[in-house]
Amino acid sequence: MSIDKIVSLCKRRGFIFQSSDIYGGFKAVYDYGPLGIALKNNISQIWWKAMTQIHENIVGLDSAILMHPKIWEASGHVGAFNDPLVDCRQCKARFRADELTLDKQPNLDEMNCPKCGTKGSLTEPRQFNLMFKTHIGPVQDDSSIAYLRPETAQGIYVNYLLVQNAMRLKLPFGIAQVGKAFRNEIVARNFIFRTREFEQMEMQYFVKPGNDDRSLEEWKKERLAFYSELGIDTSNLRFKEHGDGELAHYAKEAWDIEYNFPFGWSEIEGIHNRTDFDLKQHQEFSGKKMEYFDPQNNERFLPYIIETSAGLNRMMLAVLSDAYWEDTDNDRIVMKLDPKIAPVMAVVCPLVKKDGLPEIGRKVMDILKPEFKVVYDQQGSIGKRYYRQDEAGTPFGITIDHQSKEDQSVTLRHRDTQQQDRIEIDNLIGVIKNKLENFS
Ligand code: GAP
């Protein structure tokens, strides 16, 4: 299946739009439409609950995007957050050197430009920093430089002692955060997979040094299991360990959870042992002690950090890719989204626009609205209405027909099987809740 089919459905049904569409688009930036924001929020809330509600020792934080520029010197992002970049002198196309598989074909003079095909037109790789720079205040000089954060993690590190003191936390404990991150990606492609503005869901788990290896193993297991909660087929997931040459400057050990996207296996989440690298750096650059005090053993030390770092947009793309189903028998496209994360739970459709059926439809809406996100649709044939909602991933269709007037019952249609049950209006909430609990 090609990613283009998902891109097209996302536009058609109001999940995701190219940014600044009327100006011809803005590369590698996307806007989330009514269904997209609902789906993204649902995924993010499930992650938030899995972290801060299920784990008593994990708390939340929302740190600012703009931070003191020294933070990015300490973290290593000013010096080391670079991609090697290669240009084509002929067609001016730009590539990431690692994507040109230079390891296999090290001689650039011998290579053809992947875009225009010209031999020997590629420049030597040069380092390109991925952070977006801006200026704070009216004067634009070196003293006013600020960066848009390229990861949410640093906001957690610089606040960790404030959080720990305020919440009286003892090791091990975690701090979770969902927020925007920005990277000036050179090669941005594959829809929302690699964009310049995106959202991360990161959790930093602070442990006593020596307990880090075990903690990393536990978090690997837990994070992989999480994807079943979103309804993702686990056979489409795998781990990939970072080799020596791939490890980020802060990591002692790192694993990616990869998803089998339409364009191949690619990372959706990283699980990293960052040791005490970041806290040590902040201690040195800020001049402030970053040590944790262990009252039981009366000792002070820098904790080690196990990081779970997921991209919300990539997770959403994995969910969309997994849910996409061409039901060729019935000539329809269905987004088989798990009802837990579906943007809309049910569509309410009076069979005709007369005979008192719309009035019953409105009554059903009023009953369901406080419990679920429901939409009302009386436009077009009932088949077309259902198929529109199948593409939107709406699990249930509720139809009001002439029998509804007689016995206050409706039909409940199931998105995936198209099977219909007759249900009394008074029982609708209970039946839908029951189906949600038993959905597989
Ligand atoms: N704090 C560690 C960190 O940021 P990372 O592997 O660079 O690690 C973590 O990023 C996750 O953020 C990735 O697994 C991915 O899901 C997401 N991510 C990174 N760059 C992205 C981009 N340009 N567009 C969309 N998501 C991105």
Side-chain angles (χ1 to χ4, degrees), residues 87-90 108 111-113 116 118-123:
D87 287 308
C88 172
R89 294 187 195 90
Q90 185 66 29
L108 276 168
M111 274 187 86
N112 297 337
C113 166
C116 69
T118 310
K119 189 171 174 184
S121 63
L122 298 176
T123 62

Side-chain angles (χ1 to χ4, degrees), residues 150-151 153 183 185 192-195 198 200 202 250 267-270 272 274 307 309-311 314:
E151 62 171 9
R183 295 183 191 177
E185 298 284 359
I192 56 168
F193 179 80
R194 192 185 301 284
T195 53
F198 56 98
Q200 289 187 315
E202 297 200 304
Y250 51 73
E267 171 190 352
I268 40 179
E269 171 161 356
H272 313 131
R274 295 183 74 132
E307 166 182 70
S309 173
R314 281 192 194 176

Side-chain angles (χ1 to χ4, degrees), residues 55-118:
H55 290 277
E56 291 170 34
N57 64 344
I58 298 182
V59 295
L61 177 74
D62 183 18
S63 68
I65 288 172
L66 295 172
M67 296 194 282
H68 198 292
K70 263 193 149 181
I71 287 174
W72 304 109
E73 286 172 36
S75 69
H77 284 83
V78 170
F81 194 51
N82 300 321
D83 268 351
L85 183 75
V86 167
D87 287 308
C88 172
R89 294 187 195 90
Q90 185 66 29
C91 70
K92 310 291 176 221
R94 186 162 275 185
F95 310 95
R96 265 170 53 176
D98 53 339
E99 295 205 333
L100 293 175
T101 57
L102 287 178
D103 49 334
K104 286 185 205 127
Q105 233 180 319
N107 193 349
L108 276 168
D109 294 338
E110 292 299 311
M111 274 187 86
N112 297 337
C113 166
K115 189 159 179 217
C116 69
T118 310

Side-chain angles (χ1 to χ4, degrees), residues 20 52 89 148 158 166 168 176-177 189 204 220 239 248 263 276 289 295 303 328 338 346 356 392 406-407:
S20 318
T52 66
R89 294 187 195 90
L148 300 188
V158 297
R168 295 178 295 121
Q177 164 153 245
R189 67 163 88 100
Q204 312 295 327
K220 272 175 62 191
F239 273 118
F263 44 84
D276 58 359
K289 283 268 175 240
T328 43
D338 190 302
E406 312 293 321
D407 62 6

Side-chain angles (χ1 to χ4, degrees), residues 240-429:
K240 183 173 165 264
E241 186 172 12
H242 287 210
D244 279 348
E246 298 166 306
L247 276 177
H249 59 275
Y250 51 73
K252 166 181 153 187
E253 184 179 344
W255 294 80
D256 289 341
I257 297 179
E258 292 190 330
Y259 177 77
N260 189 12
F261 286 102
F263 44 84
W265 288 95
S266 304
E267 171 190 352
I268 40 179
E269 171 161 356
I271 299 153
H272 313 131
N273 183 345
R274 295 183 74 132
T275 68
D276 58 359
F277 173 86
D278 300 274
L279 297 183
K280 219 188 238 164
Q281 290 290 103
H282 288 307
Q283 183 162 272
E284 190 188 323
F285 277 69
S286 69
K288 299 269 162 42
K289 283 268 175 240
M290 296 297 285
E291 287 169 336
Y292 167 84
F293 176 63
D294 175 358
Q296 235 161 13
N297 300 310
N298 201 23
E299 55 175 348
R300 290 180 191 278
F301 56 88
L302 290 176
Y304 268 32
I305 294 168
I306 305 302
E307 166 182 70
T308 73
S309 173
L312 176 51
N313 319 76
R314 281 192 194 176
M315 208 182 272
M316 180 166 159
L317 186 58
V319 160
L320 290 168
S321 307
D322 223 69
Y324 187 92
W325 174 44
E326 287 177 357
D327 179 6
T328 43
D329 290 347
N330 296 296
D331 198 20
R332 61 178 188 145
I333 295 168
V334 185
M335 274 292 177
K336 290 174 93 171
L337 294 172
D338 190 302
K340 271 203 300 298
I341 55 172
V344 175
M345 187 61 76
V347 58
V348 175
C349 305
L351 196 58
V352 289
K353 280 193 229 171
K354 53 184 186 181
D355 302 338
L357 303 192
E359 287 74 9
I360 302 178
R362 284 282 158 209
K363 190 179 118 189
V364 171
M365 285 292 290
D366 289 341
I367 291 172
L368 295 182
K369 255 192 252 178
E371 292 290 332
F372 312 109
K373 172 69 188 169
V374 281
V375 294
Y376 181 82
D377 189 359
Q378 58 177 26
Q379 294 300 325
S381 75
I382 192 73
K384 279 205 177 120
R385 281 183 261 171
Y386 285 154
Y387 279 23
R388 266 201 296 271
Q389 293 300 326
D390 290 343
E391 285 199 346
T394 306
F396 304 110
I398 295 163
T399 305
I400 293 93
D401 54 17
H402 288 91
Q403 192 181 326
S404 310
K405 276 176 47 175
E406 312 293 321
D407 62 6
Q408 296 297 301
S409 72
V410 293
T411 61
L412 185 69
R413 172 190 181 265
H414 300 256
R415 176 193 65 200
D416 302 346
T417 58
Q418 301 200 75
Q419 187 196 316
Q420 306 208 13
D421 305 323
R422 191 108 215 150
I423 313 280
E424 282 176 27
I425 291 174
D426 286 347
N427 292 338
L428 262 178
I429 290 179

